[in-house]
Amino acid sequence: MNTNLKRWMIGLGASLAVFAAAAVPVAAEEPTDIDLNGAPSITEDARTPFGVYLWHSDRGTHLRTHGTAEGQVYTAFLRTDGVFVDVDGTRLEPGDRFAVVNGGHGLILQFHTWEGIDGVDFRIRDGESLGLTLLVDGRLLRTDHIFLGRAGRHPATNPFVLKP
């Protein structure tokens, strides 16, 4: 295992403990009824609100982070009753990381994002729910900084569950 990846995985140890504690089966949770179809408005412009943007297209599901001039560290824990497949990072810089874990049922990521955009694209095979826990700078991200689908709607809570 390369040294940088090993350090990253060790550094996520405490975060993984939080993830494991929250990793109840997503099928048991009531999914939030928000339409994920179509991309929300996200640009590299400083006027775009910082946060996490999530949407679905015919190419799969897309998660993007947008930061401020000071930069934010986003950590996300995604879980499904299916399997994450076709996972691919986009616009990542050195130090940004993601990994499929738990036999394909989990996806963790950590991006340091400034005014640009970092992201990951994926598909879920044989799954009916997608659970997300989103953090910024080590704290739960406020729901008004989570933008879902074309309308940019916000979930009622964080963590939350969606139908992929």
Side-chain angles (χ1 to χ4, degrees), residues 32 34 143 148 153-160:
T32 299
I34 294 180
T143 58
L148 304 174
R153 293 196 43 212
H154 311 293
T157 62
N158 178 20
F160 59 101

Side-chain angles (χ1 to χ4, degrees), residues 9-10 12 15 32 36 71 79-80 86 94 99 103 105 118 150 156:
M9 292 186 82
I10 290 170
L12 279 179
S15 296
T32 299
L36 285 183
R79 60 200 188 284
T80 183
D86 302 327
H105 299 291
D118 296 327
R150 180 175 297 125

Side-chain angles (χ1 to χ4, degrees), residues 114-147:
W114 287 267
E115 291 175 316
I117 298 169
D118 296 327
V120 66
D121 300 323
F122 58 89
R123 292 183 183 278
I124 295 175
R125 184 178 61 221
D126 300 328
E128 296 182 18
S129 53
L130 170 63
L132 297 98
T133 303
L134 305 172
L135 293 92
V136 63
D137 298 328
R139 296 186 174 153
L140 283 175
L141 181 62
R142 290 186 356 219
T143 58
D144 61 333
H145 288 280
I146 302 170
F147 304 91

Side-chain angles (χ1 to χ4, degrees), residues 33-160:
D33 189 22
I34 294 180
D35 182 8
L36 285 183
N37 289 313
S41 179
I42 178 174
T43 67
E44 292 188 29
D45 189 308
R47 293 174 295 206
T48 296
F50 82 87
V52 173
Y53 294 75
L54 183 76
W55 71 95
H56 185 79
S57 74
D58 59 351
R59 292 175 291 149
T61 303
H62 315 277
L63 183 148
R64 300 291 184 272
T65 60
H66 184 276
T68 65
E70 295 80 29
Q72 280 73 43
V73 175
Y74 290 97
T75 306
F77 304 100
L78 289 72
R79 60 200 188 284
T80 183
D81 55 344
V83 177
F84 288 98
V85 296
D86 302 327
V87 181
D88 191 27
T90 182
R91 303 181 72 171
L92 302 181
E93 294 88 24
D96 291 341
R97 303 274 189 258
F98 66 90
V100 176
V101 297
N102 193 21
H105 299 291
L107 173 62
I108 58 173
L109 65 88
Q110 188 169 63
F111 301 153
H112 194 164
T113 309
W114 287 267
E115 291 175 316
I117 298 169
D118 296 327
V120 66
D121 300 323
F122 58 89
R123 292 183 183 278
I124 295 175
R125 184 178 61 221
D126 300 328
E128 296 182 18
S129 53
L130 170 63
L132 297 98
T133 303
L134 305 172
L135 293 92
V136 63
D137 298 328
R139 296 186 174 153
L140 283 175
L141 181 62
R142 290 186 356 219
T143 58
D144 61 333
H145 288 280
I146 302 170
F147 304 91
L148 304 174
R150 180 175 297 125
R153 293 196 43 212
H154 311 293
T157 62
N158 178 20
F160 59 101

